[in-house]
Amino acid sequence: MYLAIREMRFAKGRYALIATIMVLVSFLVLFVTGLAQGLAYDNAASIKNMAATHFVLEQDSNHRFTRSQVNQDQLEQTRSVVGQENAEPLGVKMTTVSPAGDTKKLDVTLFMVNPEGWLAPTATEGSPITDLKNGQVVVDHKLSEDGVKIGTVLVDKASGREWTVAGFVENESFSHSPVVFLNEQEWGAIQEGSRTSQGKIDSNAPVYSAIAVKDAGGKVDSLSTALPNTEVITKSDAVSAIPGYKEEQGSLLMMIAFLFVISAFVLAVFFYVITIQKTSQFGILKAIGTRNSYLAGSVSLQVLLLSVGSLVISVLLVQLFESILPASMPFQLGLSTLTLTCVLFVIMSMAGSLFSVWKVTKIDALDAIGRTAA
């Protein structure tokens, strides 16, 4: 430890350059990780926030809510298996709305929920949706950035229905679009004339996109048996099936993985070059009896100190940037993700130093001294 710190104090410029590069790389790793987590949450916040653990969808819907149709009979059958209070109907429809009297078009996702059920969101401003008042909806707060306020009338371009904004909710989005929550009466109104009749299904009966289930426990197999022509999926399956979710996250995760590899490679190159430059010094130290383990530990300690120091600076920079980022940019870096990313960065940095450690152990004292004398 004494040798490692003394050398870093002696060659301040050299190690400051390495530390600067490591700060930049680690900051980029943390920033892209936070961006990936933020985009993932923004893409599926409404589904992730639900208390549901499973969803019942129509068979061959590819796990997508917008391709699925289930009916009232299937809802009752689901409740008979998991319990009346553990199953709720869910409607999902992507559409475009405009504030009344305005030409502005806003892409939103309609969510039909039972206002008295556990899928109903908590209004952070205004009033929640109710069964008693048709024509009222609760919307995600992002729409306020487009001038939507409580009392604003939204016109659905597909059905022509008009809804009055009664309240706002936070962090409710689906496929990067804000969610508009409405009750079953409004859901039935926009479906009128567009329902699909399947077999003996009454075309006048409610048609939902999915049935949300919680506390299913070991009843998933029983659900699949009791509900033919359906598929029971987990919440993670539903999130992964959101259009563009896997592709978006796959690209960002590949970038993060490459950044980890690049950081390890850059650090390995820097320390390998430094090790070659110090071959004669290492040879002299070996000649006077210094053990390989001590020299290898010295190199490893230098890498560890630089990694930890650069991460501390990077975390502070990320928090600073997070505080000044616009609200429209999704960024989320929780404590668990931050800790995991930092640990992985340190591990990759230490892995990059192994080549230099190996080089130190292979230095021959007599050969190194001979070159010095020459």
Side-chain angles (χ1 to χ4, degrees), residues 103-125:
T103 58
K104 183 186 298 182
K105 295 182 179 181
L106 307 172
D107 292 326
V108 300
T109 302
L110 304 179
F111 268 39
M112 185 285 299
V113 296
N114 174 14
E116 306 300 327
W118 44 266
L119 285 182
T122 301
T124 56
E125 183 180 350

Side-chain angles (χ1 to χ4, degrees), residues 32 86 116 136 195 198 293 317 351 359:
V32 175
N86 290 332
E116 306 300 327
Q136 290 193 338
R195 292 194 179 105
Q198 297 180 357
S293 59
L317 288 174
K359 181 65 177 177

Side-chain angles (χ1 to χ4, degrees), residues 239-255:
V239 169
S240 297
I242 294 175
Y245 182 89
K246 289 193 295 186
E247 293 78 6
E248 178 182 87
Q249 290 300 299
S251 300
L252 290 170
L253 288 176
M254 184 176 293
M255 289 174 58

Side-chain angles (χ1 to χ4, degrees), residues 83-96:
Q84 186 74 18
E85 70 284 357
N86 290 332
E88 291 284 345
L90 173 66
V92 180
K93 179 180 175 64
M94 304 187 75
T95 188
T96 302

Side-chain angles (χ1 to χ4, degrees), residues 45-66:
S46 291
I47 303 301
K48 291 183 176 182
N49 292 339
M50 287 181 180
T53 57
H54 294 79
F55 295 93
V56 178
L57 276 70
E58 183 183 5
Q59 196 172 34
D60 299 326
S61 60
N62 293 329
H63 298 181
R64 293 192 179 185
F65 296 118
T66 53

Side-chain angles (χ1 to χ4, degrees), residues 18-310:
I18 299 175
T20 302
I21 293 174
M22 291 185 68
V23 167
L24 294 175
V25 175
S26 58
F27 170 78
L28 190 57
V29 169
L30 292 173
F31 188 82
V32 175
T33 301
L35 186 61
Q37 293 294 312
L39 287 170
Y41 185 74
D42 185 70
N43 205 350
S46 291
I47 303 301
K48 291 183 176 182
N49 292 339
M50 287 181 180
T53 57
H54 294 79
F55 295 93
V56 178
L57 276 70
E58 183 183 5
Q59 196 172 34
D60 299 326
S61 60
N62 293 329
H63 298 181
R64 293 192 179 185
F65 296 118
T66 53
R67 296 180 180 178
S68 171
Q69 286 187 329
V70 294
N71 56 63
Q72 186 68 28
D73 290 340
Q74 291 168 320
L75 174 60
E76 295 303 326
Q77 290 172 355
T78 302
R79 285 174 170 170
S80 67
V81 175
V82 300
Q84 186 74 18
E85 70 284 357
N86 290 332
E88 291 284 345
L90 173 66
V92 180
K93 179 180 175 64
M94 304 187 75
T95 188
T96 302
V97 299
S98 292
D102 196 338
T103 58
K104 183 186 298 182
K105 295 182 179 181
L106 307 172
D107 292 326
V108 300
T109 302
L110 304 179
F111 268 39
M112 185 285 299
V113 296
N114 174 14
E116 306 300 327
W118 44 266
L119 285 182
T122 301
T124 56
E125 183 180 350
S127 304
I129 56 175
T130 67
D131 280 327
L132 302 178
K133 294 183 179 180
N134 291 338
Q136 290 193 338
V137 294
V138 173
V139 304
D140 183 71
H141 202 269
K142 288 181 182 178
L143 287 176
S144 63
E145 299 173 7
D146 295 298
V148 176
K149 300 178 292 185
I150 293 179
T152 299
V153 177
L154 300 177
V155 181
D156 181 22
K157 293 297 183 180
S159 65
R161 297 287 299 176
E162 295 185 356
W163 304 306
T164 302
V165 176
F168 287 100
V169 292
E170 292 285 350
N171 301 321
E172 296 289 350
S173 56
F174 181 87
S175 193
H176 294 304
S177 63
V179 170
V180 174
F181 290 92
L182 41 80
N183 59 27
E184 190 169 331
Q185 289 83 354
E186 287 300 321
W187 178 257
I190 63 175
Q191 282 193 322
E192 196 170 316
S194 63
R195 292 194 179 105
T196 301
S197 180
Q198 297 180 357
K200 297 182 180 180
I201 297 176
D202 183 359
S203 60
N204 292 320
V207 177
Y208 314 111
S209 300
I211 301 170
V213 179
K214 69 173 182 177
D215 299 329
K219 300 177 182 178
V220 174
D221 292 336
S222 300
L223 269 179
S224 301
T225 303
L227 297 169
N229 300 320
T230 64
E231 54 186 15
V232 182
I233 64 172
T234 62
K235 182 189 289 190
S236 59
D237 290 334
V239 169
S240 297
I242 294 175
Y245 182 89
K246 289 193 295 186
E247 293 78 6
E248 178 182 87
Q249 290 300 299
S251 300
L252 290 170
L253 288 176
M254 184 176 293
M255 289 174 58
I256 295 170
F258 272 111
L259 285 173
F260 275 119
V261 174
I262 290 171
S263 63
F265 182 77
V266 169
L267 195 63
V269 170
F270 267 98
F271 269 89
Y272 184 70
V273 172
I274 292 175
T275 302
I276 292 176
Q277 292 176 341
K278 298 187 298 182
T279 299
S280 58
Q281 289 93 323
F282 282 128
I284 294 172
L285 288 171
K286 283 189 174 185
I288 62 177
T290 307
R291 298 187 305 274
N292 278 331
S293 59
Y294 182 82
L295 297 176
S298 175
V299 174
S300 299
L301 181 61
Q302 288 177 348
V303 175
L304 181 62
L305 291 174
L306 288 172
S307 301
V308 174
S310 64

